[in-house]
């Protein structure tokens, strides 16, 4: 079963502001942080924080339950690449600061792997799991794709492999190496 079963629903006032933004030809992904969208970002964050039971969609780490500092609104398909999906409820979730920053950094550099299959030709947001290369919290069961052993991430599907790479989930391993107490050759063989 997917992690997220209830999408965020915007009230009329929020939807009106969203419509104003998306119909404005000068609106870009860089405008996501505008002050007038702060209430919408907070609303999205609160909704998905509860849906995800305080866990990051990618690394499964614990999110801040009150602060936005370690509970970022995440665009599953990058907002810079898919502006038309910037307010799409199924394109939104919450992620920890590290996962969000890693994805954003790749987005900024133009090196982020595209999580959509045939993304260039998508007119509407996909409605099924097979349209995504990334483990999608609205469509996929995380445990079908990624196993976590003592803090290390192991893929069990191509989606798991993509997600581990796109979010650099084994970043602790790459930064600090193996923790000998947690992993021994007996575990590996």
């Amino acid at each position: 079963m997917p992690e997220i079963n209830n999408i965020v629903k915007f009230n009329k006032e929020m939807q009106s502001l969203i419509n104003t933004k998306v119909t404005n030809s000068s609106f870009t992904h860089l405008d996501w942080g505008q002050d007038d969208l702060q209430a919408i970002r907070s609303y999205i964050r609160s909704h998905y924080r509860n849906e995800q039971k305080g866990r990051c969609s990618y690394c499964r780490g614990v999110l801040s339950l009150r602060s936005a500092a370690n509970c970022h609104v995440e665009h599953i398909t990058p907002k810079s690449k898919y502006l038309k999906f910037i307010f799409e409820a199924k394109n939104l979730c919450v992620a920890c600061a590290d996962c969000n920053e890693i994805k954003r950094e790749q987005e900024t550099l133009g090196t982020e792997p595209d999580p959509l299959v045939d993304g260039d030709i998508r007119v509407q947001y996909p409605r099924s799991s097979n349209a995504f290369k990334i483990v999608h919290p609205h469509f996929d069961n995380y445990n079908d794709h990624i196993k976590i052993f003592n803090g290390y991430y192991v893929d069990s599907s191509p989606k798991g492999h993509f997600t581990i790479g796109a979010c650099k989930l084994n970043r602790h391993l790459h930064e600090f190496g193996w923790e000998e107490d947690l992993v021994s050759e007996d575990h590996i063989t």
Side-chain angles (χ1 to χ4, degrees):
M1 177 146 65
E3 177 179 28
I4 298 174
N5 294 298
N6 298 302
I7 63 170
V8 67
K9 294 186 171 116
F10 302 111
N11 65 31
K12 286 182 182 182
E13 184 180 308
M14 290 176 178
Q15 195 58 59
S16 177
L17 177 58
I18 289 168
N19 291 343
T20 300
K21 296 292 183 181
V22 298
T23 57
N24 180 343
S25 61
S26 65
F27 180 75
T28 73
H29 70 284
L30 299 174
D31 298 321
W32 172 254
Q34 291 178 335
D35 289 343
D36 60 345
L37 291 174
Q38 195 279 327
I40 291 175
R41 289 190 309 273
S42 291
Y43 179 74
I44 294 166
R45 180 180 302 106
S46 177
H47 175 83
Y48 286 121
R49 178 189 284 139
N50 289 330
E51 269 297 299
Q52 296 171 217
K53 295 177 177 49
R55 296 280 177 188
C56 175
S57 281
Y58 302 122
C59 72
R60 311 303 280 173
V62 176
L63 299 170
S64 297
L65 295 181
R66 297 187 64 101
S67 172
N70 190 41
C71 186
H72 296 205
V73 174
E74 164 64 357
H75 292 84
I76 298 160
T77 61
K79 58 187 179 290
S80 64
K81 187 173 237 157
Y82 299 102
L83 184 63
K84 61 190 167 197
F85 302 142
I86 195 168
F87 294 104
E88 171 65 44
K90 286 196 174 183
N91 191 43
L92 300 169
C93 64
V94 286
C96 71
D98 285 350
C99 286
N100 187 262
E101 185 177 317
I102 287 165
K103 279 190 76 210
R104 180 179 33 241
E105 186 177 275
Q106 293 174 89
E107 181 179 340
T108 303
L109 296 172
T111 60
E112 182 178 41
D114 190 344
L116 265 177
V117 175
D118 299 326
D120 301 2
I121 61 172
R122 300 270 177 197
V123 177
Q124 292 185 326
Y125 197 77
R127 302 290 179 221
S128 68
S129 172
N130 63 357
F132 295 90
K133 299 175 197 169
I134 199 164
V135 176
H136 197 298
H138 290 272
F139 298 117
D140 297 311
N141 180 339
Y142 188 92
N143 295 324
D144 290 345
H145 303 281
I146 298 174
K147 305 295 185 219
I148 305 172
F149 297 102
N150 296 323
Y152 300 106
Y153 298 82
V154 179
D155 61 88
S156 52
S157 74
K159 275 188 171 202
H161 181 78
F162 182 92
T163 305
I164 290 168
C167 298
K168 299 183 180 174
L169 296 182
N170 282 315
R171 54 189 172 259
H172 191 273
L173 169 69
H174 295 280
E175 185 75 21
F176 302 109
W178 291 103
E179 292 185 30
E180 295 300 324
D181 292 345
L182 296 177
V183 179
S184 69
E185 288 186 34
D186 294 337
H187 290 108
I188 297 172
T189 57

